[in-house]
Structures are given as C-alpha cells and as structure tokens.
Amino acid sequence: MTRKAQNAIAIAASLLWATLFILYNCKWSDPITATVVDSETGQPIEGVVVVADWRLKGGLEGGNPVGHLALMEAVTDKAGTFHFPGWGPRLSLSILRDWEPELFFFKNGYSYLYMVNQPNSRWYSWQANSSVDGTHVKLKQFRGTPKEYAEKMGDFGRTLESYFFGDDKSCAWKRIPRMIAAMDEQVQSLPGYIEGRFSAPHHQLLDAEEYYLKIGCGSAKEFLTGITK
C-alpha cells in the first residue's frame, strides 16, 4: 500500500470517528404542546406560566447540574394551551438524563406543579421529548390558609433556587422573567405571611446584584425593572 493510500485511509478514519463522536453527543427534542386544566372543573386555565428545562448533568456520577441545554418559558392561552418549539441537534458532552425536560407550572392561587418523564432503562437520552406532549395537565387550586400557601410558595422558591445561585454562570434567571413576575405578584398578595417562609426570586436577585455583575450577567436591578411591581 502506498503512502498516499495510507494517508487517505487515515483521513477517512479520522473523519468517520469525528462524525460518530458528534452524532453520539448531539441531542434534540420534538415540540411540546399541551393543555392545562383545573383539576376540579376540567376547565382550561389561562395565564399559567410554564418553564421547560433540559438540564445537563456532569460530575463523577453524572448527577450534578452543569448547565441548561435548552431553557424555555411559555404562558397558557385562553384555551389553556402552551407550546414549546422543537430544537436541535445540539452538541454537548454532558449527560442529558432520560427524565428531561423538567417542567414547572405556576399560576397565582394554584399549587405549583413539577413534572418530569418516567425514567427508563437507558438512564440517559439523545432525544429528550416530553411525555406531557399532547396531554391535559391538571392544576389544583390551593384551598389552605394564606400562611399555608406562603409555606407552599417557600417550597417552590427552594425548588427554583438553582436558577438564581447556580454555578454554571448561565444567568438562567434571565430566561424566566414571566415566572419571576408571577411569583412576585403572589408575594404581594400575601403580606405578613412571607417572612421566614418564602424568599421571593426578585429579592434573591437583588441581594446578588454584585455577584451577577461580576460574572457578566448584567444588572439584576435593571432586569427586574418593568417585570415586578
């Protein structure tokens, strides 16, 4: 075999390896369209804020959040419908678990809802579609006291803390303004019950203003202008 032929084979092998490497590490998702309804009446709910997060994992065991391959926000229309467009392929060396995306639902006066796919035997996924697509998602009205609701909001606030204090420096909070606004509105309706139970996202953002400026996210104070009341 000539040297020229050997070089051609080596180049072809390298290109094949590079192609397989890219394909193996590409991920994508089909669109998501679903309807949110009241769990009691079955009627569609307008104005529900929905966040979809395809969160990447890393670390020695592949379980530590390291970023967001895709992070989107939508609001239900009069028919209770929301939609997220499909995306990809996107290249990432980090792991996308098979339960992704994570979905967060919230509307004032209702209990928040958190949903993921049921994990399968693969543990990870390339095509991260949501099992919520094409379904009716049931949201429950909160029937407790204002104090109990404030405690419930505290749980939700802690669930979302990684968007405000994550180490990936992705400034993820800038991509969920409507969720921040909705939570701020709920805070305004619970005076006297919030302290010690719920640290509102806009308070967390303002407290970390200097940090966000330092890492290049920009001013949280300016971002909040016009979003919160």
Side-chain angles (χ1 to χ4, degrees):
M1 183 181 294
T2 65
R3 183 62 176 268
K4 185 176 182 179
Q6 290 177 337
N7 289 339
I9 292 173
I11 292 173
S14 297
L15 290 173
L16 176 61
W17 182 90
T19 300
L20 292 174
F21 177 83
I22 291 174
L23 290 175
Y24 182 81
N25 288 287
C26 277
K27 299 153 179 89
W28 64 92
S29 175
D30 289 339
I32 303 171
T33 302
T35 302
V36 182
V37 300
D38 188 287
S39 63
E40 296 179 8
T41 67
Q43 294 300 307
I45 308 174
E46 182 182 6
V48 179
V49 181
V50 189
V51 170
D53 187 2
W54 289 262
R55 199 184 301 244
L56 293 167
K57 303 296 193 301
L60 295 178
E61 298 181 358
N64 299 323
V66 295
H68 310 272
L69 189 57
L71 176 58
M72 306 179 188
E73 185 181 59
V75 179
T76 58
D77 59 19
K78 290 183 179 180
T81 301
F82 68 90
H83 174 77
F84 292 110
W87 53 263
R90 295 182 182 179
L91 179 63
S92 175
L93 302 183
S94 299
I95 294 171
L96 191 66
R97 290 290 184 85
D98 58 6
W99 60 67
E100 303 291 341
E102 299 175 78
L103 295 172
F104 302 89
F105 300 81
F106 178 69
K107 180 179 173 65
N108 296 345
Y110 285 81
S111 295
Y112 76 90
L113 182 63
Y114 170 74
M115 300 182 72
V116 294
N117 295 327
Q118 289 295 320
N120 58 45
S121 58
R122 290 184 304 172
W123 183 70
Y124 59 89
S125 179
W126 291 279
Q127 187 170 6
N129 296 331
S130 175
S131 58
V132 168
D133 182 53
T135 68
H136 283 71
V137 179
K138 296 180 179 180
L139 216 57
K140 294 181 179 180
Q141 293 188 46
F142 190 83
R143 299 298 188 185
T145 66
K147 178 181 178 181
E148 290 170 336
Y149 195 68
E151 292 172 348
K152 190 77 172 178
M153 289 296 296
D155 293 338
F156 189 34
R158 285 184 287 275
T159 300
L160 296 178
E161 277 186 351
S162 63
Y163 293 98
F164 309 108
F165 300 111
D167 295 328
D168 61 340
K169 300 181 181 180
S170 66
C171 315
W173 45 273
K174 300 184 81 169
R175 286 180 273 175
I176 56 171
R178 287 175 284 194
M179 181 64 79
I180 294 173
M183 295 178 75
D184 176 68
E185 182 180 343
Q186 187 63 80
V187 169
Q188 304 302 325
S189 69
L190 293 169
Y193 298 100
I194 294 300
E195 187 175 356
R197 298 183 180 90
F198 175 43
S199 180
H202 66 281
H203 290 155
Q204 298 180 34
L205 289 171
L206 291 175
D207 289 343
E209 169 81 359
E210 185 175 341
Y211 169 74
Y212 293 134
L213 288 171
K214 181 179 179 180
I215 65 175
C217 288
S219 171
K221 184 177 180 180
E222 292 180 3
F223 174 78
L224 290 170
T225 301
I227 294 177
T228 57
K229 298 178 182 180

